[in-house]
Amino acid sequence: MEKFKQHWEITKNWQFLFPVLGFLILIYSAFKIGRAIIGTQNSILLILSTAIFAFLLLKFFLFLFKKLEDKWVLEHRWEMIRVFMVFAVTGSSSLFVGRPIIKWLGITKDNLSPFLYWTLYILVGIIFYQILLVFFGWLFGQFEFFWKFEKKMLRRFGLKRFVD
């Protein structure tokens, strides 16, 4: 356990919460992927696929941690997990917020071409993603990181004059 704490630069017990939550989210994601591919008929196959996908996701995220560790300026390694959690929660939430907005505007697949519907749906999702990214960043204690990230993203969208 000490080796794990040293590797992730965990100095206080409450910081251990983020690796635990990150691992639980990883298992849940692996389960969702396995269920989408395998289905729910065969429980043993679903458990096996969940384990395989969890292993693959873990390897993938550890690879990302290594690549982004130098690029993202964070005080401790465990904060990387917190940043990934903010991205995950924001991505899911922006679609859940965007769906009722699209319905409220009266935009459906029936009254609009599928190409235009999905374009507007993605556009609304991107708008709410920008707002929610800063909000969840603040909620998870990473406001500074996500505010800088947001300004950089808005510059890339061509909205430099609103940021500077």
Side-chain angles (χ1 to χ4, degrees):
M1 185 60 84
E2 282 302 316
K3 192 173 182 181
F4 181 83
K5 284 183 172 184
Q6 252 181 344
H7 177 73
W8 288 102
E9 299 173 349
I10 295 173
T11 56
K12 297 180 176 131
N13 286 338
W14 67 268
Q15 296 167 343
F16 192 67
L17 175 71
F18 291 103
V20 169
L21 282 176
F23 187 72
L24 290 174
I25 291 169
L26 183 127
I27 296 294
Y28 178 70
S29 299
F31 171 75
K32 294 285 277 187
I33 293 169
R35 193 174 71 180
I37 293 173
I38 304 297
T40 57
Q41 289 81 17
N42 191 340
S43 300
I44 295 172
L45 199 56
L46 181 60
I47 291 169
L48 183 63
S49 67
T50 299
I52 291 169
F53 286 123
F55 176 76
L56 293 173
L57 285 173
L58 182 63
K59 286 292 189 185
F60 175 70
F61 286 123
L62 290 175
F63 170 76
L64 286 178
F65 285 152
K66 276 185 188 172
K67 292 291 182 188
L68 295 171
E69 192 171 22
D70 296 330
K71 188 175 182 177
W72 290 348
V73 180
L74 298 167
E75 286 184 41
H76 305 285
R77 277 188 173 164
W78 61 267
E79 290 178 316
M80 294 278 291
I81 299 169
R82 191 161 61 170
V83 167
F84 271 82
M85 289 170 63
V86 169
F87 281 122
V89 170
T90 302
S92 302
S93 300
S94 67
L95 293 177
F96 286 123
V97 170
R99 193 171 292 145
I101 299 295
I102 289 286
K103 286 182 183 175
W104 179 73
L105 293 172
I107 299 170
T108 64
K109 293 177 192 174
D110 299 331
N111 65 5
L112 217 54
S113 73
F115 176 76
L116 196 55
Y117 171 82
W118 285 109
T119 303
L120 288 173
Y121 186 76
I122 290 169
L123 184 65
V124 168
I126 288 172
I127 291 169
F128 280 101
Y129 183 85
Q130 307 309 312
I131 297 165
L132 291 172
L133 189 63
V134 176
F135 172 73
F136 284 120
W138 170 77
L139 200 63
F140 278 72
Q142 290 293 111
F143 178 78
E144 283 297 316
F145 174 84
F146 283 103
W147 184 240
K148 289 176 188 174
F149 189 88
E150 184 63 33
K151 289 193 285 188
K152 187 176 177 182
M153 196 181 308
L154 289 174
R155 283 188 196 104
R156 288 183 179 166
F157 285 156
L159 301 171
K160 185 178 181 179
R161 64 180 176 267
F162 297 114
V163 176
D164 295 333

